[in-house]
Amino acid sequence: MAGATTHRLLRMSDRDALARVAAIVDEARASLATAEDEAALEAWRTRVLGRSGALTRVLRGIGSLDAEDRRAVGQAANAAKETLEGALEARRMALEHAALEHHATAPLDVTLPGRPRRPGHLHPVTRTLRDILDIFGRMGFAAIEGPEVELDDYNFGRLRIPEHHPARDMWDTFWIDEEVDGRTPLLLRTHTSPMQIRYLDRHAPPVRIVVPGRCYRYEATDATHEWMMQQVEVLAVDEGVSLADLKGTLQEFARQMFGPERRVLLRNSYFPFVEPGVELAVDCFNCPGDDPRCPVCRGSGWLEIMGAGMVHPEIVSASGYDAERYTGFAAGMGVERIAMLKYGVEDIRTFYANDLRFLRQF
Ligand code: PHE
């Protein structure tokens, strides 16, 4: 068969060969138009463009033509090959398109079984945040929001943390290389405490607010630290507010949040904007409280969930109020840490990893 072809090509004139190429193209185009599926397209491709396809045979045969004929026939055959490859792609796309259209307009088959739809639900951190705001709401605290992009002055300066103050090490900061109304430096707030200043500057006591919001810290992540986390700031300023009010409020919060069986610990701590400063910790849910390998408490038995204290008198007077008359308490809690306690989650990073297998458990 191959011999016969060669034999015939040997006797082909230039004109014959060109006519043959044209005929192949005509026939191929016509048959391509009748190919209705991928199998038919593939069979067509093998027959026309494959290794022993019609066009390939012409190209193989040109070796026996004289030089001039060879060029003309070679060019024509190669052009035909490109044309037909293009036609094949176009046909394939047209078929795919038609299949999609058919699918879109196919009549509804009511006998098909339904596709189950999984109802969505709130993210565990969102749920925890709402619980926190509800508890404080029932105690008379209004929820207020503040900016995530903050001025150094509110995030640090007015909170009595001047530049180069060693306490700045507590808040590794993402700085922002822009300005707002010519005011700099800007940063991503490292805590919600700047809202203490912003709010007191504009609202006279009595003040009772909670401020939920995202905070950012330029630090390495581990089981209990994320570079983005949510806080809720608590601020109460009025005549005669005392440390006992702070303690009573936070104990009531912990009782409502974690139930009466969870133990809470108030111990002293330091933040430049409160005096005295305390921190509230809850007992570890992950280990008996003495396992040094415990990723949650590291053997301390306690998980710190908030810093707190009495608002520093300089802060009260800097906003224009008589610090002898008005006193207040403030607290700032990590929402993710509270969610970890509440739901028994061991690694804070899983909250924002967007793994549905994790999120669907809640
Ligand atoms: N802003 C502090 C922090 O992020 C927490 C805090 C708030 C401490 C209010 C005292 C009073 O660490």
Side-chain angles (χ1 to χ4, degrees), residues 14 39 55 87 111 120 148 152 154 163 185 217-218 236 268 301 314 321:
D14 181 10
L55 208 55
T111 65
E148 288 177 31
D152 179 274
Y154 289 114
E163 219 180 321
R217 294 189 185 173
Y218 184 55
N268 69 337
E314 281 180 18
Y321 309 110

Side-chain angles (χ1 to χ4, degrees), residues 124-184:
V125 173
T126 304
R127 212 144 84 193
T128 306
L129 177 61
R130 292 191 182 184
D131 289 347
I132 296 168
L133 297 181
D134 281 350
I135 293 170
F136 281 98
R138 286 195 291 273
M139 291 196 265
F141 289 78
I144 309 287
E145 287 183 306
E148 288 177 31
V149 175
E150 188 52 282
L151 283 158
D152 179 274
D153 200 34
Y154 289 114
N155 195 83
F156 291 125
R158 298 262 322 259
L159 287 166
R160 308 183 68 257
I161 318 166
E163 219 180 321
H164 307 306
H165 191 290
R168 286 209 179 197
D169 291 351
M170 283 197 263
W171 299 280
D172 293 314
T173 308
F174 287 109
W175 297 97
I176 293 181
D177 210 6
E178 304 274 333
E179 52 183 68
V180 171
D181 304 333
R183 297 167 83 188
T184 54

Side-chain angles (χ1 to χ4, degrees), residues 13-212:
S13 70
D14 181 10
R15 199 177 288 272
D16 287 342
L18 289 177
R20 184 161 156 65
V21 169
I24 289 172
V25 171
D26 283 349
E27 188 282 327
R29 275 188 183 286
S31 62
L32 183 60
T34 66
E36 292 296 340
D37 56 25
E38 188 51 42
L41 291 180
E42 188 51 29
W44 180 93
R45 198 192 61 76
T46 309
R47 188 166 57 79
V48 179
L49 300 168
R51 290 213 296 140
S52 46
L55 208 55
T56 315
R57 287 204 307 265
V58 173
L59 280 165
R60 285 228 184 96
I62 61 176
S64 56
L65 298 173
D66 60 44
E68 225 171 279
D69 289 356
R70 199 184 300 159
R71 255 187 75 206
V73 177
Q75 272 172 4
N78 276 320
K81 193 172 174 222
E82 262 177 51
T83 304
L84 291 176
E85 279 167 354
L88 174 63
E89 256 337 285
R91 179 69 185 158
R92 182 173 276 137
M93 273 163 66
L95 288 177
E96 275 170 17
H97 201 82
L100 284 176
E101 297 239 300
H102 173 75
H103 185 75
T105 57
L108 178 66
D109 182 352
V110 293
T111 65
L112 284 174
R115 283 181 215 132
R117 261 173 217 255
R118 210 191 279 261
H121 61 73
L122 292 177
H123 190 281
V125 173
T126 304
R127 212 144 84 193
T128 306
L129 177 61
R130 292 191 182 184
D131 289 347
I132 296 168
L133 297 181
D134 281 350
I135 293 170
F136 281 98
R138 286 195 291 273
M139 291 196 265
F141 289 78
I144 309 287
E145 287 183 306
E148 288 177 31
V149 175
E150 188 52 282
L151 283 158
D152 179 274
D153 200 34
Y154 289 114
N155 195 83
F156 291 125
R158 298 262 322 259
L159 287 166
R160 308 183 68 257
I161 318 166
E163 219 180 321
H164 307 306
H165 191 290
R168 286 209 179 197
D169 291 351
M170 283 197 263
W171 299 280
D172 293 314
T173 308
F174 287 109
W175 297 97
I176 293 181
D177 210 6
E178 304 274 333
E179 52 183 68
V180 171
D181 304 333
R183 297 167 83 188
T184 54
L186 279 178
L187 45 76
L188 292 180
R189 69 176 170 199
T190 61
H191 51 176
T192 42
S193 297
M195 273 304 281
Q196 292 183 28
I197 310 298
R198 285 183 178 274
Y199 197 82
L200 284 177
D201 277 355
R202 287 182 180 74
H203 303 268
V207 162
R208 258 192 231 154
I209 56 164
V210 279
V211 185

